[in-house]
Amino acid sequence: MGKTRDQNNVIITGATGMVGEGVLMQCLNSPEINSVLVINRKPCGYSHPKLKEIIHPDFFDFSKIESQLTGYNACFFCLGITSVGADQETYYKMTYTLTMHVAQTLSKLNSDMTFCYVSGGGTNAHSRLKWAQVKGKTESDLTKLPFEQVFNFRPGFIKPLPGQKYAHKFYKYINWLFPIGRAVYPSGFCTMAELGQAMINTLSHNDERRILEGRDIIALSKE
């Protein structure tokens, strides 16, 4: 706790999804973040003096871009697919195999890196639900990699930031539920700003490996 770094240079994946976009917006607006690299299969649509973008189609093979991935001390991993409609093999490949490949590559290139993985509420390696098992295995195996820190984030309902381009359309119809849900079940409801700021605030910690449920995310965002 209380570590100070001269530079905070962050890699973000999933910036063309709602969570990744929100984390990107929070990082670009934060004076604590010096530079941001996003790795996408397609352009994210953002331009900023802090921002660099690599368009790379194959997240299972980073060999061609490894030389561009050094000098970063954090990865905010927001890439993922829903289990709805996905067969078990595809879900495992896109959730566990892909995440571990990216993480193994980055841990090899950046020994002082903090890795933040967006898992999800209900994740449990011992659950009867296959998706929860896969997420739980991913969380567990990430903590075994030689990162300086690993934080597994388990948000539930996330309220998007104003102006997000990649927020799910149905959120505009159900955002009115947020204050009610937050009051009744605070651990299941956080804002995108809280999630992004909590990730940024992990960079003032040192040598931690933690699972962060909703209440933990909210608390960390206020540090």
Side-chain angles (χ1 to χ4, degrees):
M1 182 70 180
K3 182 166 184 174
T4 302
R5 294 175 172 84
D6 294 331
Q7 295 273 314
N8 282 320
N9 302 307
V10 178
I11 294 173
I12 298 175
T13 66
T16 56
M18 187 187 87
V19 175
E21 178 191 24
V23 171
L24 171 62
M25 291 170 70
Q26 195 73 14
C27 286
L28 293 179
N29 289 326
S30 172
E32 300 166 74
I33 302 300
N34 299 92
S35 70
V36 180
L37 170 66
V38 294
I39 310 170
N40 293 323
R41 295 186 181 92
K42 61 181 180 181
C44 68
Y46 281 80
S47 178
H48 192 278
K50 291 184 187 179
L51 181 62
K52 177 183 177 182
E53 185 170 39
I54 296 176
I55 305 301
H56 186 71
D58 187 1
F59 274 64
F60 295 95
D61 183 4
F62 272 11
S63 58
K64 293 182 179 178
I65 62 170
E66 278 193 7
S67 62
Q68 300 178 67
L69 305 180
T70 59
Y72 292 89
N73 65 303
C75 175
F76 299 159
F77 193 94
C78 308
L79 185 65
I81 66 168
T82 177
S83 60
V84 178
D87 62 80
Q88 289 186 23
E89 183 179 353
T90 299
Y91 185 75
Y92 185 90
K93 178 181 178 182
M94 300 303 295
T95 301
Y96 177 80
T97 309
L98 185 150
T99 304
M100 291 304 297
H101 172 73
V102 174
Q104 286 163 350
T105 301
L106 293 178
S107 67
K108 177 182 68 176
L109 297 172
N110 301 282
S111 60
D112 65 340
M113 178 170 274
T114 294
F115 194 91
C116 293
Y117 173 60
V118 179
S119 181
T123 294
N124 185 340
H126 306 293
S127 172
R128 293 181 180 180
L129 299 173
K130 291 295 183 183
W131 73 264
Q133 292 176 17
V134 173
K135 289 273 192 177
K137 176 176 172 57
T138 306
E139 287 183 349
S140 177
D141 287 355
L142 284 172
T143 64
K144 299 170 187 175
L145 294 177
F147 288 115
E148 181 176 309
Q149 304 190 100
V150 176
F151 293 85
N152 292 308
F153 283 73
R154 295 180 176 180
F157 183 103
I158 306 169
K159 183 180 180 181
L161 288 166
Q164 283 203 237
K165 297 184 288 187
Y166 303 118
H168 303 300
K169 291 181 180 179
F170 64 79
Y171 273 91
K172 68 180 179 180
Y173 301 109
I174 62 173
N175 269 337
W176 64 272
L177 287 169
F178 183 83
I180 301 171
R182 180 71 167 250
V184 175
Y185 180 49
S187 192
F189 292 78
C190 71
T191 67
M192 193 67 250
E194 287 169 335
L195 179 60
Q197 190 59 46
M199 288 190 178
I200 292 169
N201 289 351
T202 65
L203 301 181
S204 66
H205 289 229
N206 186 34
D207 294 328
E208 290 190 27
R209 275 160 166 71
R210 289 179 58 192
I211 290 172
L212 301 171
E213 304 286 356
R215 286 181 184 273
D216 306 314
I217 295 168
I218 296 165
L220 181 55
S221 73
K222 293 176 168 57
E223 286 190 0

